[in-house]
Amino acid sequence: MKISDVRIRFVRKDDSKLRAVASITIDDCFVVHDIKVIEGADGPFIAMPSRKTNDGEFKDIAHPLNTETREELRDAILAAYNEALAEAD
């Protein structure tokens, strides 16, 4: 798997921990939108796209199946996020 593109859209809400929304392209042929970049206690982290179920829970609608892939996605998205932050300053 090759992450061929990462796009970051900043979210400007002062009362929210949501900082940005990312879209990734995998192998130049598959796109995943709405990956959230959230500010946590230990720094930013990502949350995969999800939907609210009838009982009020949120379930991921797309997610990596193993730790290595999750780490690769996280690292690529957070690197692009930090680069976009630096360019915005």
Side-chain angles (χ1 to χ4, degrees):
M1 177 186 85
K2 177 182 170 246
I3 299 172
S4 45
D5 188 33
V6 179
R7 295 178 189 236
I8 302 292
R9 294 183 324 270
F10 289 106
V11 175
R12 307 282 186 208
K13 290 185 180 179
D14 294 333
D15 60 339
S16 175
K17 292 185 182 213
L18 178 64
R19 298 295 183 236
V21 177
S23 295
I24 60 165
T25 304
I26 300 169
D27 293 332
D28 289 318
C29 64
F30 189 81
V31 177
V32 179
H33 295 292
D34 296 330
I35 301 171
K36 297 171 231 34
V37 178
I38 300 170
E39 188 62 41
D42 297 324
F45 64 92
I46 66 168
M48 297 305 292
S50 61
R51 285 212 173 125
K52 193 173 186 178
T53 63
N54 290 337
D55 59 357
E57 291 184 49
F58 285 90
K59 297 286 186 181
D60 287 350
I61 57 174
H63 58 88
L65 294 178
N66 58 53
T67 302
E68 296 81 21
T69 304
R70 179 172 290 280
E71 290 172 352
E72 185 177 348
L73 290 176
R74 180 199 62 214
D75 293 348
I77 292 167
L78 292 181
Y81 171 74
N82 288 327
E83 185 177 314
L85 273 179
E87 289 177 7
D89 287 343

